[in-house]
Amino acid sequence: MEWTREMRYRHYREMTDAEEKDLLEKVNYSIWRQQFHIQPPYGLLNDPNGFAYYQGKYQLFYQWFPFGPVHGMKHWYHVESEDLIYWKDKGLGMAPEYDHESHGIFSGTGIVKDELLYLFYTANKRDEDWNRESAQSLAIMDRNGRIKKKEIPIIPKQPEGYTANFRDPKVWQDKDSDTFYMIVGAERMNHTGCALLYKSEDLLNWHFEGELKTDFEQFGYMWECPDIFQVEGKDVLLFSPQGLEPDGDSYHNVHNSGCFIGYFDKEKHYFQSNFFQELDAGFDFYAPQTTQAPDGRQILIGWMGLPDTSYPTDKDMWANCLTIPRELYIENNKIYQSPVKEMIAKRGSLTEWRGSLNSEETILEDFSDAVYELICDMSVEEGIAGLKLRTGKEEETLFYLDTKRQKIVLDRTKSGAPVAVDYGTVRQTTCTDNKISLRIFVDTSSVEIFVNDGEFVFTARIFPKEESKGIKLFAEDTTASFDIKKWEYITQP
């Protein structure tokens, strides 16, 4: 199907009942609908937006193009949760209304002030020659869930010296004052990526402070979805740089996400850090956003998808989902990601296996399933050993430790319907241990693998046949021991 510009830039209110019925029928027949991840009712989902704790619930929005699995006129879809694990659909959150947002509402943030939820977003417009115009805009949600947008942008355009690729505002309050800061992703006129800083005393009137200086002046051509926060007293700058070239095991996806850990000098507009950490070693992770839970935890949710990428669900008229929520903490100056503690509440019946393999493979007969959580402690002598997930007659998703090469590897070469094969079907990262712990979340069409309590994370969409539900263990020319627990998942409260 060829999506014309006219088809991509339709407003949700233009959807007919017949169109919606047709979309729902196609989605309902999809064999890859997730059971415990946030996903669109139909159409395309991308960046998480407006993530905030408000009125006793987590409020979360995501970018949504309703008419199909392509990028077009973006709306915000709204979900909420009391516990971060069971999410209730609230329907359309925001749609384009005004001239300055005539071509879509792009990503943004949420912050609570005076018992109101302030929602900042980028308003996207195209002129008659299809040149982009970007403005930062504001909507406010009250205690009854009503959202009202300001008719005039709070920042009408980018400063001099930057292109109209000026988007994705994130707002936070300075912990030592009543001052608010905003960081916005940007592109310099020489087509290099950066972030811009603004300051406000009331969330309504904003002053441009300047470009955020870093030790990485030439780092991709655009910085999307920037986010500054603190974890355990250290400042973190999270963003998604576009245009990084592959470097060793890093940056092999079409676009990537990561962070700097260091010190944010708000007076000098400088973030000091000498190392960029890629946040996810897998295939499908982008545009993460964080919020602070009432107990102080910094919670991250990412888009389990990528720009400029087609997925097998496209034929079913939907695409993409969000990751499970993850708690952030720091060890050895590195961000660790751990599934939020609330996920334990989803566990159902338990199956266990413990044993060793010597250059052999075994099927875990009682473990067959498509939706579950699995914990595995494994020890490998010199060689390769690991797990095969969602196995079938010709399908398997491999995750293994290679102690000879000192790598941990995710291989989706045979995971089912292919995805983005031009960027490779194997992801790996260095691991010098011969003993690792794994916590794995498998949904109908995804895997999220947390290694060593979140030291490494591999996120991937997979698209196997419905009957491919097996789990195998293997050891190649080595001896390996395994201690495994697997829980069925309760997908409804």
Side-chain angles (χ1 to χ4, degrees), residues 31-35 367-372 374 387-399 411 414-416 440-447 460-472:
I31 65 170
W32 292 308
R33 289 293 280 178
Q34 300 277 62
Q35 297 300 306
F367 280 60
S368 180
D369 208 345
V371 180
Y372 55 87
L374 184 147
L387 302 90
K388 297 182 178 181
L389 308 171
R390 295 299 307 272
T391 64
K393 189 174 181 180
E394 298 177 344
E395 295 178 336
E396 59 188 17
T397 297
L398 275 65
F399 190 81
D411 184 341
K414 298 180 180 179
S415 290
I440 302 174
F441 294 81
V442 176
D443 206 341
T444 309
S445 56
S446 68
V447 294
R461 298 299 304 279
I462 59 172
F463 300 92
K465 297 175 182 176
E466 286 184 273
E467 59 269 25
S468 296
K469 297 182 179 181
I471 300 177
K472 298 178 181 179

Side-chain angles (χ1 to χ4, degrees), residues 84 229 231-232 290-291 293 295-301 324-330 335-344 439 450 453-454 457:
L84 288 170
F229 51 89
V231 176
E232 299 170 8
T290 72
T291 195
D295 59 8
R297 292 175 296 162
Q298 198 74 20
I299 309 297
L300 176 147
I301 292 180
I324 62 171
R326 305 166 179 188
E327 302 174 18
L328 302 182
Y329 62 102
I330 293 175
I335 284 283
Y336 279 56
Q337 303 172 69
S338 178
V340 291
K341 60 186 180 182
E342 290 86 348
M343 294 299 294
I344 292 175
R439 191 172 176 193
F450 298 81
D453 298 319
V457 185

Side-chain angles (χ1 to χ4, degrees), residues 311-330:
Y311 287 88
T313 58
D314 289 0
K315 67 178 180 59
D316 301 327
M317 298 303 285
W318 72 280
N320 307 323
C321 60
L322 299 181
T323 69
I324 62 171
R326 305 166 179 188
E327 302 174 18
L328 302 182
Y329 62 102
I330 293 175

Side-chain angles (χ1 to χ4, degrees), residues 50-59 78 80-81 111-119 140-146 291-292 294:
F51 192 19
Y53 188 78
Y54 176 60
Q55 296 295 315
K57 296 179 182 178
Y58 292 93
Q59 307 296 331
H78 185 196
E80 70 175 18
S81 174
I111 187 170
V112 178
K113 179 178 181 289
D114 299 331
E115 297 189 1
L116 297 171
L117 177 58
Y118 286 68
L119 298 169
I140 298 176
M141 187 168 90
D142 65 21
R143 299 179 65 178
N144 297 313
R146 294 183 295 247
T291 195
Q292 190 173 74

Side-chain angles (χ1 to χ4, degrees), residues 81-273:
S81 174
E82 295 180 355
D83 56 13
L84 288 170
I85 56 172
Y86 295 112
W87 294 87
K88 181 179 180 181
D89 270 16
K90 302 295 288 183
L92 179 68
M94 289 197 293
E97 289 181 70
Y98 303 115
D99 180 67
H100 61 276
E101 57 186 26
S102 61
H103 288 71
I105 295 175
F106 281 8
S107 291
T109 185
I111 187 170
V112 178
K113 179 178 181 289
D114 299 331
E115 297 189 1
L116 297 171
L117 177 58
Y118 286 68
L119 298 169
F120 296 86
Y121 63 93
T122 297
N124 182 49
K125 179 183 178 180
R126 297 281 189 168
D127 67 15
E128 58 186 15
D129 296 319
W130 208 247
N131 297 309
R132 183 189 303 277
E133 297 177 11
S134 299
Q136 310 315 315
S137 298
L138 172 64
I140 298 176
M141 187 168 90
D142 65 21
R143 299 179 65 178
N144 297 313
R146 294 183 295 247
I147 299 174
K148 185 176 181 180
K149 286 189 278 182
K150 297 292 183 182
E151 297 183 20
I152 300 173
I154 54 172
I155 303 173
K157 64 179 297 185
Q158 72 276 10
E160 291 295 323
Y162 303 91
T163 76
N165 285 319
F166 169 60
R167 55 182 176 266
D168 311 336
K170 179 65 189 284
V171 176
W172 73 97
Q173 185 172 5
D174 179 40
K175 63 182 178 62
D176 299 320
S177 69
D178 294 330
T179 301
F180 296 93
Y181 286 90
M182 176 192 292
I183 186 171
V184 186
E187 178 190 41
R188 304 182 187 100
M189 294 303 292
N190 65 357
H191 305 299
T192 56
C194 63
L196 307 180
L197 277 175
Y198 290 79
K199 187 165 72 172
S200 173
E201 302 300 324
D202 59 6
L203 293 178
L204 301 174
N205 301 285
W206 291 88
H207 176 262
F208 178 50
E209 294 290 288
E211 181 179 316
L212 177 65
K213 302 300 180 183
T214 72
D215 298 311
F216 291 74
E217 292 297 309
Q218 305 288 324
F219 198 66
Y221 61 77
M222 173 67 195
W223 289 10
E224 293 198 305
C225 304
D227 190 353
I228 289 182
F229 51 89
Q230 281 198 334
V231 176
E232 299 170 8
K234 293 188 176 181
D235 294 323
V236 179
L237 169 58
L238 176 72
F239 63 106
S240 296
Q242 296 185 316
L244 300 184
E245 293 295 325
D247 181 12
D249 293 332
S250 299
Y251 318 141
H252 286 272
N253 298 326
V254 58
H255 298 303
N256 306 275
S257 296
C259 67
F260 298 135
I261 301 173
Y263 172 69
F264 172 47
D265 187 329
K266 55 181 178 287
E267 302 301 327
K268 296 182 178 179
H269 313 142
Y270 171 57
F271 197 99
Q272 184 277 323
S273 179

